Amino acid sequence: MANQLWTKKPLDKLMNESSGEGNQLKRTLGPGSLIALGIGAIIGAGLFSITGGAAANQAGPAITISFIVAAFGCAFAGLCYAEFASMIPVAGSAYTYSYATMGEFIAWIIGWDLVLEYAVGAATVSISWSRYLIKFLEGFDVHLPLALTVGPWDGGLINLPAVFIVILMSLLLMKGTQESATVNGIIVALKVTVVIIFIVLGWKYINNDNYTPYIPDNSGTFGEYGFSGIIRAAAIVFFAYIGFDAVSTAAQEAKNPRKDMPIGILASLAICTVLYILFAHVMTGVTSYTSFKGQDGIAPVAVAIEHMGTPNAAGLIVPDYPWLNRAIIVAILAGYASVILVMLMGQTRVFFSMSKDGLLPSIFSKVHPKYQTPVKSNLLFMLFVSLFAAFIPARVVGEMTSIGTLFAFILVCIGIIVMRKQMPNAPRAFVTPWVPLVPILGVATCFFMMAFLPLDTWIRLIVWMIIGFDVYLWYGIHNSKLSTGTGTLKDDFKVICLSGLALALVLAVVAFFHHTQSIEGDTGLFYFSLIFAAIHAVAYLYTWLKG
């Protein structure tokens, strides 16, 4: 049997760490701040940009159903997160929950996976923030040089606006959690106001003919309209929901985490779900879903706003609220800024917990004596995310955020079932109803959406997880503070190497299948996947045999 991989972190040890003296995060957040934190992470430009494209290409007016499907998956996971957050009010979110229920190896996998949601997500969002800033400045006839606004793969040199917003949000986080929460609260008020204005003003321009057919017939291609289109759209718009789980990463900074964490998680999710469904209903009601084809960025919303008016003598619609487009851009800029803020905060808190457990270097858990924030960790991620945002195109890893988050949700739902069996009498300020039904539905819904994501997204997820195996094999397992210190790690190495070999094989199979099905050409990704899989298969086999 393996000595260490399945070692669970005792619940009393977790609680002692969260209440111990020295090197601790400062508790400053109340329920209002936690709700705003969740809304700040959830409502970003994803609402404004993804909705139109998903309606045009996958679901039609039934995009509202897609939002409901995605919301159900989030609701099931949110109920599980709420129980864990009230039971284990410690920084680290799904990583910490997995460590307490399924052991160190699973905890490492989920902690590494969360980088896709937080650090990579923040970089991707900052690149989009840069695009909207350019669009906003052009409205005032201010034109930034192309070389300084996009990376080398997009014809420029460096994306300075993206770097600027990452640095600004990182400095704010270093200053203090309360200060960050105050700024986030202001931003949340602004963008929620704009969303409500769009819904209220647009409602009277709804033409019910635009909802016919509500569910367009499938085009003959899987995922284009019909039932499969609704589910594919649900998986796509799921990106717009990402963020409510980031509330759980701030558990160690909540004033009364057992009571307030469930409120922050569930209330922010509920508020955003209602706003999303109403927003999508208005968008597809004021104009036909086909109007959004070929549009990206803010364009889908702009198209809807252009149809919020009355026809002139020539029969052309004259928008009644042309100023609303600029207000939407301001809301997007603010929305993206708060998303970046919360994503950076979530990432540093996850690595804070992993570092305290010895799985990562101690620099990630050093807390500033004055600000009581992980300043050094903030600096490192500021550098990493800034470099990524400055030079790498957003399209490379954008979809990885959704699949990584869905994977995290699945493990949290499974963790609730495990915890109920292992620790049925542990104190819980919030209890997930109908266990194991709710967690099972959460697993099923999230995996269902994962299955509808493109295969190249799966390829990138598998590659990232194999890299995580490498880091754990060569650093984490040797430095874990829960290591027994007895015997050898031979059995543990065997499990890791066998798991790595299996993942390498799966990577090769998925890459080959994707290559045979692709009509757009993916030769580079195909050969990279095969070479990457072959190198790691040999490396894991050698490590296993060497023992």
Side-chain angles (χ1 to χ4, degrees):
M1 291 294 292
N3 295 324
Q4 182 178 328
L5 295 187
W6 315 118
T7 301
K8 301 178 182 66
K9 195 167 185 179
L11 197 58
D12 57 347
K13 184 177 178 66
L14 280 168
M15 300 308 297
N16 289 336
E17 287 182 359
S18 68
S19 59
E21 296 297 327
N23 213 39
Q24 298 297 321
L25 301 172
K26 187 177 181 180
R27 295 192 180 276
T28 59
L29 303 178
S33 295
L34 292 171
I35 293 173
L37 197 67
I39 296 175
I42 298 170
I43 299 183
L47 172 63
F48 304 110
S49 58
I50 293 176
T51 305
N57 301 311
Q58 279 87 33
I63 185 65
T64 50
I65 299 178
S66 300
F67 271 116
I68 293 172
V69 171
F72 268 110
C74 291
F76 295 137
L79 289 168
C80 295
Y81 264 99
E83 177 171 328
F84 268 130
S86 70
M87 186 179 177
I88 311 174
V90 182
S93 184
Y95 160 77
T96 301
Y97 309 152
S98 299
Y99 212 157
T101 55
M102 291 176 278
E104 182 174 291
F105 188 42
I106 301 299
W108 169 266
I109 290 174
I110 195 62
W112 188 254
D113 170 71
L114 287 174
V115 177
L116 297 180
E117 178 179 0
Y118 296 135
V120 174
T124 305
V125 171
S126 66
I127 296 171
S128 295
W129 187 91
S130 173
R131 294 173 182 167
Y132 289 114
L133 178 66
I134 295 168
K135 186 181 292 289
F136 179 73
L137 293 177
E138 286 175 350
F140 297 95
D141 201 29
V142 176
H143 303 277
L144 300 178
L146 179 66
L148 301 180
T149 55
V150 295
W153 277 273
D154 293 320
L157 294 176
I158 183 173
N159 193 333
L160 284 182
V163 173
F164 166 77
I165 191 62
V166 170
I167 292 175
L168 182 63
M169 294 298 102
S170 297
L171 292 175
L172 183 58
L173 283 172
M174 292 177 208
K175 183 66 171 63
T177 303
Q178 182 59 55
E179 291 81 356
S180 302
T182 300
V183 172
N184 180 68
I186 295 172
I187 293 174
V188 166
L190 170 64
K191 61 185 178 182
V192 169
T193 298
V194 172
V195 169
I196 292 175
I197 288 174
F198 175 85
I199 294 171
V200 172
L201 294 182
W203 198 272
K204 64 181 179 180
Y205 297 101
I206 289 177
N207 181 353
N208 289 326
D209 292 341
N210 291 323
Y211 296 131
T212 304
Y214 191 68
I215 303 177
D217 294 333
N218 183 265
S219 66
T221 301
F222 183 83
E224 290 186 8
Y225 310 119
F227 174 76
S228 66
I230 291 174
I231 305 303
R232 170 67 65 83
I236 292 172
V237 300
F238 178 82
F239 178 84
Y241 279 102
I242 290 173
F244 76 86
D245 58 309
V247 176
S248 63
T249 67
Q252 212 160 317
E253 291 154 280
K255 294 177 181 177
N256 186 359
R258 291 187 180 278
K259 175 184 176 183
D260 296 342
M261 293 306 297
I263 295 175
I265 293 171
L266 299 176
S268 61
L269 180 58
I271 291 169
C272 292
T273 297
V274 172
L275 291 176
Y276 279 14
I277 293 171
L278 293 175
F279 192 93
H281 182 72
V282 171
M283 270 194 71
T284 54
V286 298
T287 183
S288 170
Y289 67 92
T290 58
S291 302
F292 304 126
K293 282 186 176 291
Q295 307 289 344
D296 60 2
I298 190 179
V301 180
V303 170
I305 292 172
E306 288 171 359
H307 284 78
M308 290 163 53
T310 52
N312 59 17
L316 299 176
I317 295 178
V318 179
D320 289 341
Y321 310 104
W323 54 267
L324 191 53
N325 268 328
R326 185 164 292 175
I328 291 290
I329 296 181
V330 172
I332 289 176
L333 286 170
Y336 265 145
S338 64
V339 170
I340 295 168
L341 178 75
V342 179
M343 294 296 101
L344 289 172
M345 179 181 176
Q347 180 61 74
T348 55
R349 272 48 176 183
V350 171
F351 268 39
F352 175 86
S353 293
M354 297 176 76
S355 174
K356 292 195 74 172
D357 293 330
L359 302 183
L360 289 172
S362 61
I363 190 173
F364 290 106
S365 57
K366 297 294 184 183
V367 175
H368 193 277
K370 178 180 178 182
Y371 301 128
Q372 290 185 271
T373 58
V375 170
K376 292 182 179 179
S377 183
N378 283 127
L379 283 171
L380 286 174
F381 277 107
M382 182 182 76
L383 177 62
F384 170 75
V385 176
S386 293
L387 288 174
F388 198 96
F391 301 110
I392 306 298
R395 63 179 179 273
V396 174
V397 289
E399 291 176 339
M400 292 175 68
T401 306
S402 286
I403 197 169
T405 307
L406 284 165
F407 183 44
F409 287 1
I410 286 174
L411 287 182
V412 169
C413 291
I414 294 173
I416 284 294
I417 299 175
V418 174
M419 186 68 89
R420 286 291 183 90
K421 289 191 174 183
Q422 292 182 348
M423 302 178 184
N425 299 319
R428 294 167 169 85
F430 177 89
V431 178
T432 303
W434 304 313
V435 174
L437 178 60
V438 166
I440 290 173
L441 289 174
V443 171
T445 306
C446 291
F447 185 78
F448 195 48
M449 286 189 282
M450 286 178 72
F452 278 74
L453 286 170
L455 283 177
D456 59 338
T457 306
W458 281 89
I459 291 173
R460 294 185 179 98
L461 174 65
I462 296 169
V463 168
W464 179 252
M465 297 317 298
I466 290 176
I467 294 173
F469 278 28
D470 295 344
V471 177
Y472 182 68
L473 184 64
W474 299 111
Y475 183 89
I477 195 171
H478 298 286
N479 295 278
S480 170
K481 292 183 180 179
L482 280 189
S483 175
T484 61
T486 60
T488 67
L489 294 174
K490 183 176 180 179
D491 290 336
D492 295 318
F493 276 23
K494 181 178 179 179
V495 172
I496 299 172
C497 291
L498 284 176
S499 301
L501 280 170
L503 269 184
L505 177 61
V506 171
L507 174 61
V509 171
V510 174
F512 182 79
F513 185 73
H514 176 252
H515 184 65
T516 59
Q517 298 295 317
S518 176
I519 59 176
E520 299 177 355
D522 66 330
T523 305
L525 181 63
F526 175 63
Y527 284 114
F528 167 81
S529 301
L530 292 184
I531 294 171
F532 186 87
I535 291 174
H536 279 82
V538 171
Y540 286 130
L541 186 60
Y542 173 77
T543 304
W544 178 24
L545 294 176
K546 185 178 178 182

